[in-house]
Amino acid sequence: MYPQRFGKTPKAGRREHLWRSTIALDKRSAKSFIRINDRIRAREIRVIDEHGEQIGILTPFDALKLAKERGLDLVEVSPTAVPPVCRIQDYGRFLYEKEKSERAARKKQKVIVIKECKFSVTVDEHDYQTKKNQAIRFLNDGDKVKASLRFRGRQMAHRELGYKIINRLIQDIGDAGVVEFMPRMEGTILHAILAPSKKQEAPKPKPAEAEQAAAPKPVEA
């Protein structure tokens, strides 16, 4: 017997750890669960073969028998369809291709970062120009900019000076950015959010047109 002051016994601790681990595993499994082979429970399914051709509507038993004859798996690819759609294919290769496409999609995603440029009511011209150029550089790199200005002590009585600085910044940035949130107060801080402007890029010429434009024109006699 373990004294009460030591709390839970080692066995109880192991059981609790195992229970928590099982819950975490169940949540991960439920999130990415794909039914295959004898786990498919629908009465009827629409079956597509490994070449992408429709076989028709079969029972899971008959479809799985056909998949096994071909040395492949029966994978449920559209569980919400009526009836569910299943495909005969290599399940390992299916997971590999799925993970590969998800990685490619993540690479294409642009992560928007908000970078802050801090000002003060008493900012001098040189410091203002430095921070303005910094904000333009952030916007040109595709990041958002949070322009913030903190009022200290008696400066709260002259908020119009802070608004003047932030509004000047918005004007000076010009086409490099667009205002996502207009200047507003939160406590003693005035801030605005600027986002990169979506500039329309000129369409690139087609290869044939580019070669034609680059070719020298014939000289008339």
Side-chain angles (χ1 to χ4, degrees):
M1 295 294 293
Y2 287 87
Q4 187 66 30
R5 65 176 181 274
F6 288 110
K8 298 177 182 177
T9 64
K11 289 185 179 180
R14 284 196 296 271
R15 285 197 298 270
E16 183 178 357
H17 175 72
L18 181 61
W19 177 72
R20 291 180 184 274
S21 300
T22 303
I23 290 178
L25 181 60
D26 289 343
K27 287 181 178 179
R28 289 196 298 270
S29 300
K31 188 176 180 180
S32 60
F33 181 71
I34 299 171
R35 293 186 182 91
I36 63 169
N37 299 332
D38 54 359
R39 293 185 178 182
I40 299 171
R41 301 300 184 188
R43 292 183 178 180
E44 292 182 330
I45 56 175
R46 188 178 300 277
V47 183
I48 301 173
D49 69 9
E50 65 272 29
H51 304 296
E53 300 292 333
Q54 288 202 28
I55 296 176
I57 297 177
L58 304 174
T59 64
F61 177 82
D62 292 335
L64 180 57
K65 181 180 178 182
L66 184 60
K68 287 182 177 180
E69 289 174 355
R70 302 183 183 187
L72 298 171
D73 300 295
L74 185 65
V75 182
E76 190 178 53
V77 294
S78 183
T80 57
V82 181
V85 179
C86 299
R87 183 164 184 161
I88 296 174
Q89 58 187 332
D90 185 337
Y91 182 58
R93 184 171 182 81
F94 167 75
L95 290 179
Y96 171 76
E97 294 292 342
K98 185 172 181 290
E99 184 179 355
K100 185 178 177 181
S101 63
E102 288 174 353
R103 283 200 307 266
R106 285 195 295 268
K107 286 182 180 179
K108 291 181 181 178
Q109 291 178 347
K110 169 65 178 176
V111 179
I112 301 297
V113 178
I114 299 180
K115 297 189 176 180
E116 188 173 12
C117 292
K118 296 181 180 180
F119 295 84
S120 65
V121 176
T122 57
V123 62
D124 59 48
E125 183 63 21
H126 179 268
D127 194 24
Y128 170 82
Q129 293 295 335
T130 300
K131 293 185 177 181
K132 180 201 73 173
N133 294 334
Q134 187 181 51
I136 293 174
R137 187 172 70 253
F138 291 153
L139 292 168
N140 289 336
D141 290 341
D143 299 319
K144 293 184 180 182
V145 172
K146 178 181 179 181
S148 62
L149 187 149
R150 180 184 294 275
F151 294 93
R152 302 181 184 278
R154 297 181 181 179
Q155 292 176 353
M156 285 291 290
H158 303 283
R159 297 185 187 179
E160 71 281 359
L161 298 177
Y163 277 94
K164 184 177 179 180
I165 292 170
I166 299 299
N167 286 327
R168 179 189 173 188
L169 176 69
I170 293 171
Q171 293 293 327
D172 290 346
I173 282 176
D175 295 336
V178 293
V179 181
E180 193 170 82
F181 291 104
M182 292 298 292
R184 60 186 179 187
M185 289 291 301
E186 288 187 2
T188 61
I189 298 176
L190 172 67
H191 69 86
I193 304 293
L194 298 156
S197 60
K198 297 179 180 179
K199 298 179 180 179
Q200 297 292 330
E201 296 182 357
K204 295 181 179 179
K206 296 180 180 179
E209 295 176 354
E211 290 176 4
Q212 186 177 0
K217 295 182 179 179
V219 179
E220 296 181 359

